[in-house]
Structures are given as structure tokens and as C-alpha cells.
Amino acid sequence: MHWIILNTCVCALFAASEICDRFAMVGFYANMITYLTQELNLPIVKASNILINFSGTGSLSLLVGALIADSFAGRFWTIIVGSIVYEVGLMTLTTSAVLPQFRPPPCPTQENCEEASAAQLTALYICLLLKSLGSGSIRGCVVAFAADQFDMKKSITKKGGWNFFNIYYFCMGISMLLAITVLVYIQDHMGWGWGLGIPTIVMALSIITFLVGSPVYLKVKPGGSPLTRLAQVIVAALRKRRAIAPQDPGLLYQNNDLDAAIATNGRLLHTNQFKWFDRAAILTDDDTSDSRPPNLWRLATVHRVEELKSIIRMVPIWISAMLFTATYANSDSFTILQARTMDRHLSPSFQIPPASLAVFGILTFVLGIPLYEHIFVPFSRRLTGNPAGVTCLQRMGIGYILNLLGTIVSAVVEAKRKAAAADHGLLDKPTITIPLSVFWLIPQFCIGGIGDVFWAAGHLEFIYDQSPESMKSTVLALYWTVASMGSYIGSFMVSMVHRYTGKERNWLPDRNLNRGRLDDFYWLMAALEGSIFIYYVLCARLYIYNPLEEVKEASKDGDVELAIGNIPYNAKNDANGLAPGNDAL
């Protein structure tokens, strides 16, 4: 009973901290395209690329924070330091939003506007850089730290109950919903001083709440630099590149005592993929003649070799995520600009803020998670026999299809918006509202929300499940770092489309979206997403889950139960510990 109460307190404290943290982050980014274009008078493409580039910078900083956490600082203190840096960035940006010398003169007509000066942009960049560095340190550790508070063994999670990652995303969805509705309205109607000041205050509360829970959190000790261990395996394999591996994998070097600190939940077992790296675990005469602890730059255990293999196996899946991220990196910014030209009235006196339209996607996402748990999982479980309903990779594949459908809908709606502008003679009047309801944009948000139930949550679960135990923060950060490259690719694509689609009918014009061809841009992204999905299916069919030794209970004949991905597995059925099958979609 005491354990249940303690675990409940831990979850409540952490959830409160994370809801405040996500509220502050989403509240800042949700409407920032409006701040850059309306307050700093920046062109559409330039403003969009600034946000994408700093978002990518934040993702790149994930790796630094995760390495620090896994190597020596631990996840708790890395999150604390990152939160403080993020808070300083918020305070600085709020100050610049209040003081007029940090902004150019107002330009209500949005024609011949004076852009922010170099000095004003420098101040903005410093604020965004601090925020990017802080958010990177937080995001690189927070999911792994949260999962540390739960027993994530497959023997436990397969018994039922809510998936941890669905719970995590559900809490995040609630906070995002509050930010998109309440905070965006304040930014549009009460000014950016309050609009940025409130996230600054909430972020401070998040730090305080997180610190209050410090005595009851489970803090996993760092296991040393994960990159050093990976490098040791590669160097050891190179040194023994002429050695011949034994036919029996059981003869490769294993040392439970050496791996104890980095494999508390079970050791990774040998697989037949990437067998070249098995050379690192070959015992030679020089290795056996020395009674001292092994030189890890010459000899690695099977577990450490499989750590490297598991990361290599995930790279093709990461590449698909990177390319997919590139296709929708700018979609939120463009949708806000579309909404600003449309009829947003709910009543004669009330208009929906453009950025608040994202509430429909978030609401769909929040409602979709319990529906996924209580309807989709039981239904699919009957069809597949998998306790989780579908595997992580299958779940992600469904998300790819749904997001592709959302992009197609975006293209159709944009064509209708431009047609309405042409019918009413508003193609050259970007500041006049087009008599077309903004609710035409809702379907694409809802489809995207359902897609994220499958793609975003599934991707996070896959990365956490398949990453080695002692480097979960680093692997999550590596994934987000690779995905962040998609933001830069997306920024590059927008710049190239803007540069090479002419001046008369530019697809992505600087000011007047009515004269653009955003619908053609969406069709181009849909074609790319279809190609990426085909590539992803090929990768998923070839993927083999990591076999993990998970000792539950010794049976009479000495069986050891293993867990492979989210598939229970018995070691007697496969002496080599290979996965029983691939993840066909």
C-alpha cells in the first residue's frame, strides 16, 4: 500500500511539472509565426525558416544534453539545468516583447513594412538560442526519466493497462490544449507582454514543482559515456578484423559482472545481423592469458556488441522519420497564415485566433489516445494475438498513411480558399477577409491529430523499447537529432521552392498568400510522403527486434523467458536468441 501511494505521488508531481513545462513551450511556439510577421514585420518565408532553424538547433542540442546525462550528470540534474536555461530565454524574450526599442514601427497594412533591424534580430536570435539549448536538454532526458519511474519490463507491460507512452502523450495533449486556446487568445487580444509573460511564469512553476518531487524520484545512476562504449566495440572489431568468429555464438565473450551496471533489466542476446562486429567479442590467446579485467578497446562483451547493432538497426527507421519531418516542418506556420485570411467568426463579436485552430488537432489527439487504448487495441488484439494490438512499427505505418491523407486534404482546401478569393476579387487584397469559413481547415487538423496517435506515440515507444538500457537518453536524443535534420531539409525545400518558382506566381510569396500556389506545394509534399512511406514499409519488413534476456522465474528445466520488442519469447525455441519474425506491414 505504501508503494502504491508513493508511486502515485511521484506520478502526480511529475505530471504536474510536465504539464506546466509543455504549456510554456507550446504556448510560445504555437503563435510565434504571428509575432515574427506582425510584430517584427518579417516576410513569411524568412519567419518560417527562422522558427524551423531554431527548432532544429534545439533538436541538435538534445544529443549534448543526453550525453551529459548518461555519462556523468544523470537525467534529473540535466533536466534542472536545461529548464533554468530555457527560463532565462523566456524572460529575455518577454522583456524584448515589452520594450519598443526591440521592435520595428507597426505596419497594419502589411505593405512596404520596415523589417526588424540587425540589432533587433540579434536580440531575437539570442533569446531563441537560449530556448533551443534549454529545450534540448529537457527533451533529451524527460521521456527516459519519466519511464524510469515505471517498471517497463515486457513481462509487466504485456499484462495490460495503459501504455506509458500513451499516458505521457495524453498529459502533454491536455497542456497543449490549454496553451492553444487560452494563451493564444491572450497573445492576440491582450498583447505579447502578457502572451509571453504567462509562459515564463508557468515555466518557473514547472521548475519548482519538479524540484519538490526530488526526494521521491527514482534517479538512475549514469553508466558512463555511451559513445565511448560504442567506439570501443568498433575499435576492438577493427583490431580483430582478421580473426575468425566461432560457429557457436555461445563461445563469444560474455561477462555478467562487467555488464551488471549497464544491463540491470537484462542482457541483450546475440543476433546474426551485422556479424562483422562479433569480432569484438572473440576471445584470443592474448585475452585469455591476462587475468586482469579485459581491455575494452580490444575485447567487448556480446551485450556491448549488441548495443551497437541495435542502434545500427534503427538508423533506417530514423531516416524515414527525418524525411517525413521535412515534408510537414512548415505546415503549421502556413496553416496559421491561411487561417488569418479566412472568416474566423464564431459570433458577430468573437473571432477564433488563427493559431488556436490547432486545438482541433490536439483535441482529436487527446480523445484519440483513450479510444486507441479501449477500442483499437482490444479489436486489433483479437486479429493479431499481440497483447499491444499491433507492433510499434505497424502503429507508425498507420500514422504515415493518415498524415499523407491530411496533406492531400490540405492541398484541396487551399485550392478552395484561393478560388473563393478569386471569386470575390480579393487576390490582391491580402488584408481583407475572404468569405470562406476557417472551419474548412479543421479536417486536416483532425486527420493529423489521429495520425499522431499512431505515428508520434508509436515512434517514441519504438525508440525507447529498442534502445539499450544504459543509453536510452542518448538514443532518444540521437533519434531527435536525426529527425531535426528534417527541419533543416524542410527549410531548404521551402527556400528552393520560393527561389525557383518565379516572381509572378511564386508558390510561396513573401506577403500575399492569395497570389501564391501553396496548394501545389502541398501536392509536392504529398508525393514525397508517399515515396517515404514505401521506403518505410521496406525498412519495417526487414527490421528484427532486439532479443532481451529477462529472467522472470526459473522453471524446472531452466527456461529463461525473453522479451523481443513487444513479443514474448522463450529461449528454448531459438538457441541464438533471434527474433521469430519481421514486422511486416
Side-chain angles (χ1 to χ4, degrees), residues 124-206:
L124 172 71
Y125 293 157
I126 292 173
C127 301
L128 294 178
L129 180 61
L130 288 172
K131 291 181 75 286
S132 296
L133 295 175
S135 66
S137 299
I138 298 169
R139 288 172 54 207
C141 303
V142 71
V143 174
F145 182 82
D148 289 341
Q149 313 309 311
F150 296 82
D151 191 342
M152 298 297 290
K153 293 188 179 72
K154 288 297 174 187
S155 58
I156 301 297
T157 57
K158 73 181 183 182
K159 293 180 180 179
W162 269 54
N163 179 301
F164 159 73
F165 298 97
N166 290 340
I167 296 174
Y168 175 81
Y169 268 107
F170 182 80
C171 292
M172 296 307 97
I174 294 295
S175 59
M176 291 164 66
L177 194 63
L178 291 172
I180 290 296
T181 52
V182 178
L183 202 54
V184 169
Y185 181 85
I186 291 173
Q187 289 169 349
D188 280 358
H189 293 83
M190 297 179 64
W192 285 93
W194 282 106
L196 293 173
I198 291 176
T200 304
I201 296 171
V202 172
M203 188 66 195
L205 292 176
S206 169

Side-chain angles (χ1 to χ4, degrees), residues 241-259:
R241 58 189 176 276
R242 294 186 179 88
I244 300 174
Q247 293 295 322
D248 181 7
L251 298 177
L252 295 173
Y253 181 63
Q254 300 190 56
N255 188 325
N256 292 347
D257 292 335
L258 186 63
D259 293 334

Side-chain angles (χ1 to χ4, degrees), residues 315-339:
V315 169
I317 304 296
W318 292 352
I319 291 174
S320 70
M322 175 188 71
L323 297 175
F324 190 72
T325 300
T327 62
Y328 70 81
N330 292 273
S331 60
D332 289 343
S333 296
F334 290 145
T335 303
I336 291 173
L337 297 173
Q338 288 174 275

Side-chain angles (χ1 to χ4, degrees), residues 69-123:
D70 282 344
S71 299
F72 60 90
R75 292 164 190 156
F76 176 82
W77 286 109
T78 305
I79 293 172
I80 290 295
V81 173
S83 298
I84 293 172
V85 173
Y86 190 90
E87 175 70 6
V88 173
L90 273 177
M91 294 172 62
T92 308
L93 189 62
T94 302
T95 303
S96 68
V98 172
L99 300 177
Q101 56 264 41
F102 289 97
R103 302 189 306 276
C107 184
T109 63
Q110 288 298 292
E111 295 180 0
N112 300 318
C113 301
E114 179 185 338
E115 294 185 25
S117 66
Q120 292 167 340
L121 286 177
T122 299

Side-chain angles (χ1 to χ4, degrees), residues 306-528:
E306 291 301 321
E307 283 185 329
L308 176 61
K309 288 184 182 181
S310 66
I311 293 175
I312 295 174
R313 272 194 288 268
M314 287 189 282
V315 169
I317 304 296
W318 292 352
I319 291 174
S320 70
M322 175 188 71
L323 297 175
F324 190 72
T325 300
T327 62
Y328 70 81
N330 292 273
S331 60
D332 289 343
S333 296
F334 290 145
T335 303
I336 291 173
L337 297 173
Q338 288 174 275
R340 191 167 290 280
T341 69
M342 301 169 75
D343 181 8
R344 296 177 281 114
H345 283 91
L346 280 180
S347 68
S349 59
F350 179 78
Q351 291 190 89
I352 302 176
S356 288
L357 282 176
V359 69
F360 294 101
I362 297 171
L363 186 61
T364 304
F365 177 75
V366 170
L367 295 176
I369 288 178
L371 292 176
Y372 177 90
E373 287 282 357
H374 294 294
I375 296 178
F376 180 83
V377 170
F379 174 77
S380 58
R381 186 185 293 143
R382 296 190 188 99
L383 299 177
T384 64
N386 189 322
V390 292
T391 62
C392 302
L393 293 176
Q394 290 168 339
R395 180 176 183 178
M396 289 154 56
I398 297 171
Y400 274 108
I401 295 173
L402 289 170
N403 281 291
L404 170 58
L405 177 60
T407 303
I408 293 173
V409 171
S410 299
V412 173
V413 172
E414 170 59 11
K416 183 175 181 63
R417 188 194 69 84
K418 287 200 307 178
D423 291 342
H424 293 84
L426 299 176
L427 289 178
D428 296 312
K429 300 176 180 178
T431 60
I432 297 179
T433 300
I434 299 171
L436 179 69
S437 174
V438 76
F439 290 108
W440 278 97
L441 297 173
I442 291 178
Q444 65 197 59
F445 280 105
C446 293
I447 295 172
I450 298 172
D452 282 344
V453 171
F454 288 88
W455 190 81
H459 226 127
L460 191 62
E461 180 180 4
F462 169 76
I463 297 297
Y464 187 89
D465 177 62
Q466 292 298 288
S467 59
E469 174 189 339
S470 63
M471 53 179 72
K472 291 191 181 296
S473 292
T474 300
V475 174
L476 282 165
L478 279 170
Y479 158 67
W480 272 315
T481 299
V482 173
S484 74
M485 296 172 64
S487 297
Y488 293 112
I489 295 173
S491 176
F492 176 77
M493 287 194 301
V494 167
S495 298
M496 291 300 99
V497 168
H498 176 68
R499 181 176 180 179
Y500 291 109
T501 52
K503 294 183 179 180
E504 294 299 324
R505 294 200 62 196
N506 194 285
W507 287 18
L508 304 172
D510 284 330
R511 298 289 178 185
N512 186 0
L513 201 61
N514 296 341
R515 281 294 184 183
R517 297 171 64 183
L518 183 59
D519 50 338
D520 289 342
F521 178 79
Y522 281 140
W523 282 117
L524 174 61
M525 295 301 104
L528 291 175

Side-chain angles (χ1 to χ4, degrees), residues 228-237 240 251-255 258-259 277-283 287 294-308:
T228 299
R229 288 202 305 277
L230 298 179
Q232 287 170 338
V233 173
I234 295 172
V235 171
K240 298 179 179 179
L251 298 177
L252 295 173
Y253 181 63
Q254 300 190 56
N255 188 325
L258 186 63
D259 293 334
F277 292 106
D278 289 346
R279 289 171 169 80
I282 296 175
L283 279 166
D287 297 322
N295 178 359
L296 295 178
W297 293 97
R298 289 189 53 87
L299 180 65
T301 63
V302 170
H303 175 81
R304 293 169 187 245
V305 172
E306 291 301 321
E307 283 185 329
L308 176 61

